[in-house]
Amino acid sequence: MAVEIQNESSVPLVWDRDQMDSGEWTDPWYPSRAATIAPGATAEWRAEGDLFVAPTTGAEGRVWYNVGGDPGRQLYVHFNSPLVESQYGNTFHVWAPPGFEAAYSGGQGHQARLRIRLRDTSRRQVRGFTPSVNGFQFSNNSWSPGLPAMTVGFLWNRLLDELGGEAAGALGIARVDDGWLPITQASAGMCGGMTFAAMDYFAAGKLPPAETTSPTSDADPLFQFIRDRLLDSFDIGGSGHRWLGYSSPHYPNGDEGFIQVAGLARGRAWVTCRDEWPRIRDDIDGGRLSPLGLIQTDSLDIGQNHQVLAYAYQQSGQVVQLWVYDNNYPGQDDLYLQFDITDTTGGVDIARFGSYRPSEPRIFCIFRSDGYNPHTPPGGRQLSVRQVMERVTGRRFGRLPDDVGLPRPASLRRWLSSV
């Protein structure tokens, strides 16, 4: 196991201590030789299992660094590369103090490299996306129940086919009638279609239509587009079976249990904190919107689940704040989810903040929706000059010169030279 630490924070990391629980440090790659990691620097240390003709142990160890030389603020790294891997593979705990964020990637396999990045806490956002501007102006809760689309039964059975018989049996999931429960009932909504469609408008450099009420006709091009994107959002031929699996009352919340040992599942906390949060973070760091599935039931009532769009985050220590465009709340820029990634042994506690109603259901699990590919949306509005500049620069601007329409060249040149 090789561990590489990239110190992208504003303060040095000072080695405090280390210990080996299994195996040994690889000479000369001791943590103590990387005693100080300056801001902007990268250091590395290595460990290996005990060897007697063939490996006899795995490698497990812990290292502590004082952040800024302060023993009261520590970066903690625990790595475990067992001789016989479980379904969790190599496991890691990388904890930073409040005011800093630690992220890691890689580290799997018997000759693995774990990369750790430490940064100062800061809000990180996809340039140019604001829910009140780039989201739909009508609510997902406003859809007419008379509009035809698909049924939950059809969706259920297609997802069950992808889940597979062994997992479905362990989670207590069986087939239902294809015609069961029209998914366009007012209580069901079309959140996945609105999420993917909002991404499509953003990818096309356009704003969604300005209408404040949802389409009422099945002949409306926008309704047809959102309906088709709703089906796409469930990723039926890919990993969409998670909608069923994570909603089962038999799906575990934590790490311990028969289903986990049998390799049929990882707990909802592990899924949220270890599997999916890094993918969401990487999307946003890469300037990409991240579509999310929110599991809001543990009784297989998949119509109670929801889809939103993550566009910004902030991590301080182990606490993650994730800002979302929630199509149930048009025009709201203050909505975010908060959870702690320290421990996965029990269920994850995901809280809502901002303008959310207190009656919102519990979130059992968060995952990143797969299968998004941009489609060409119907209609839409052009971005203003200000919105284009904010998207390009990542900065927020007030009124630009001649902000209505395209500025005159001389005026635009003067403004650009002052930015």
Side-chain angles (χ1 to χ4, degrees), residues 243-288:
W243 288 106
L244 275 181
Y246 298 159
S247 297
S248 169
H250 301 293
Y251 201 95
N253 285 320
D255 297 338
E256 304 297 330
F258 169 77
I259 289 179
Q260 299 95 310
V261 173
L264 296 176
R266 296 176 175 178
R268 294 185 180 107
W270 185 282
V271 168
T272 299
C273 301
R274 301 285 186 263
D275 291 339
E276 300 301 317
W277 159 237
R279 301 177 66 212
I280 299 164
R281 180 196 63 222
D282 289 349
D283 274 348
I284 296 172
D285 283 346
R288 301 180 299 273

Side-chain angles (χ1 to χ4, degrees), residues 87-99:
Q87 63 138 338
Y88 293 96
N90 296 337
T91 56
F92 312 99
H93 298 89
V94 181
W95 300 343

